[in-house]
Amino acid sequence: GAEVVINGSLSPAVVDRSNESIKHNIQPASSKWRHNQTLSLRIRKQILKFLDAEKDISVLKGTLKPGDIIHYIFDRDSTMNVSQNLYELLPRTSPLKNKHFGTCAIVGNSGVLLNSGCGQEIDAHSFVIRCNLAPVQEYARDVGLKTDLVTMNPSVIQRAFEDLVNATWREKLLQRLHSLNGSILWIPAFMARGGKERVEWVNELILKHHVNVRTAYPSLRLLHAVRGYWLTNKVHIKRPTTGLLMYTLATRFCNEIYLYGFWPFPLDQNQNPVKYHYYDSLKYGYTSQASPHTMPLEFKALKSLHEQGALKLTVGQCD
Ligand code: CTP
């Protein structure tokens, strides 16, 4: 099949505070955007050559047993043992088996969502994906409430739940997990060794309190497969962000894909300041040198796909 053209030169991932937001003006405007069905199908087919979201979304029970040794993807020399708890929580069948949705929302965590009024629009999609256990209740008007799948990097336990130092924080996390109410909780447990204990704490909490979530733990090959796909499209990503992983997976089971909260720049299209996250005080420096992510580069690729009608980016207010 024909190549998907994701144009643009490769620029360094450093955020240029002066004019980055102007360069990233989104065209066509929301009202003019049209879905390109042919292109979406072509992208789905291409991605299927690298990964199968139905399989790679989670390791299944049948493929591991307690005591098995896993090498961390980013720390090849470090290993973990599959614990009894982890084993218990592995799904028997893929949570995406035979799933197809008309329209899906992927909600990134950029502060661009604040005052967007996008909550209702987001909730109207058939399948809503959120990232890193971001809070919704207090921001419902702008981000909505519906959650069908939510990701949770182990680092979230440290950043948002004080590493569960006391009963109050454990209770907070527990409440958040209970509020998921049957949705898929996607935990990248095999990426980096730093998350070892945190994953175990969460697993334990879920089992002990019979939390109603469907846990999923991405396959060992997902990361490389996703990077491989984008590489063949000339997008050189060191470590894909959760947001990009979700888009890449969603192409498999979503007909139309709508992205909200993807805006890795400190100013919006009208030059107003934008928070890095809509819900906390994390700063932008975090995305540049220190982090292995290349969000602005990813954004450029997503923007190009928006222009071609393969996905729709919303970076302003919803009508
Ligand atoms: N995102 C964005 N612009 C921001 C913040 C986030 O486009 N200012 C997108 C990214 O795709 C990111 C996703 O929203 O992956 C979720 O945000 P966040 O929880 O901040 O992700 P990260 O902390 O970068 O974690 P990860 O390492 O999982 O990507």
Side-chain angles (χ1 to χ4, degrees):
E3 285 255 309
V4 179
V5 182
I6 298 170
N7 44 32
S9 61
L10 304 174
S11 64
V14 181
V15 177
D16 174 353
R17 277 156 205 280
S18 55
N19 61 7
E20 197 73 26
S21 54
I22 302 169
K23 279 198 312 217
H24 287 292
N25 238 317
I26 299 292
Q27 294 294 340
S30 192
S31 55
K32 300 259 165 61
W33 181 90
R34 291 284 170 272
H35 178 233
N36 183 338
Q37 182 75 31
T38 318
L39 179 58
S40 294
L41 287 176
R42 199 155 75 216
I43 291 172
R44 174 184 295 169
K45 259 192 168 162
Q46 275 198 16
I47 292 178
L48 267 166
K49 290 181 189 160
F50 291 82
L51 62 128
D52 180 352
E54 197 174 291
K55 294 201 178 75
D56 291 310
I57 186 149
S58 186
V59 170
L60 298 181
K61 246 201 184 79
T63 64
L64 286 180
K65 52 186 189 315
D68 279 356
I69 291 171
I70 289 178
H71 286 258
Y72 286 102
I73 296 162
F74 294 122
D75 306 291
R76 295 295 304 162
D77 299 336
S78 292
T79 57
M80 63 170 278
N81 287 307
V82 175
S83 67
Q84 187 64 41
N85 282 348
L86 175 61
Y87 179 75
E88 301 269 323
L89 288 169
L90 292 175
R92 272 181 205 292
T93 52
S94 168
L96 289 179
K97 197 169 171 58
N98 300 326
K99 294 275 191 253
H100 290 284
F101 303 100
T103 77
C104 296
I106 305 176
V107 187
N109 286 334
S110 166
V112 81
L113 279 164
L114 291 172
N115 296 315
S116 68
C118 286
Q120 279 193 359
E121 185 181 312
I122 290 172
D123 283 355
H125 291 284
S126 322
F127 195 81
V128 179
I129 299 176
R130 299 181 190 271
C131 300
N132 284 323
L133 227 47
V136 285
Q137 214 75 48
E138 311 88 300
Y139 304 93
R141 211 190 136 264
D142 294 329
V143 309
L145 292 168
K146 183 173 157 71
T147 303
D148 297 287
L149 183 156
V150 64
T151 71
M152 194 208 84
N153 283 351
S155 60
V156 170
I157 300 306
Q158 178 191 23
R159 258 195 273 152
F161 297 95
E162 298 286 328
D163 261 342
L164 311 181
V165 285
N166 55 35
T168 312
W169 286 106
R170 284 195 293 277
E171 187 56 30
K172 266 196 185 167
L173 176 61
L174 189 59
Q175 287 316 318
R176 184 72 185 94
L177 293 175
H178 276 306
S179 76
L180 294 177
N181 212 356
S183 44
I184 302 169
L185 177 64
W186 190 84
I187 308 176
F190 314 125
M191 304 282 178
R193 63 176 172 205
K196 198 183 248 176
E197 284 88 6
R198 295 174 184 126
V199 172
E200 283 303 315
W201 297 338
V202 173
N203 289 344
E204 200 183 310
L205 212 59
I206 291 171
L207 287 167
K208 188 168 158 201
H209 297 273
H210 307 284
V211 176
N212 179 21
V213 286
R214 284 183 290 155
T215 39
Y217 305 84
S219 80
L220 293 165
R221 51 185 299 279
L222 178 68
L223 243 290
H224 297 300
V226 167
R227 198 165 48 184
Y229 164 73
W230 289 97
L231 260 174
T232 58
N233 285 287
K234 311 228 165 18
V235 184
H236 295 248
I237 298 159
K238 272 190 256 172
R239 210 189 265 202
T241 65
T242 302
L244 192 75
L245 284 175
M246 289 302 120
Y247 166 71
T248 313
L249 289 171
T251 57
R252 172 78 162 94
F253 55 94
C254 301
N255 188 30
E256 299 183 19
I257 301 178
Y258 294 77
L259 269 47
Y260 304 84
F262 284 68
W263 186 263
F265 311 107
L267 295 176
D268 70 12
Q269 299 197 97
N270 303 316
Q271 304 301 300
N272 299 313
V274 177
K275 290 178 69 187
Y276 177 65
H277 280 162
Y278 68 83
Y279 52 86
D280 65 21
S281 51
L282 215 60
K283 291 285 183 284
Y284 269 95
Y286 172 80
T287 57
S288 54
Q289 296 85 359
S291 158
H293 290 323
T294 40
M295 270 196 209
L297 188 63
E298 288 187 3
F299 184 83
K300 207 170 182 177
L302 295 173
K303 181 174 173 265
S304 166
L305 291 170
H306 169 94
E307 285 159 4
Q308 299 171 76
L311 57 80
K312 184 175 176 190
L313 272 170
T314 297
V315 298
Q317 297 197 330
C318 290
D319 309 321

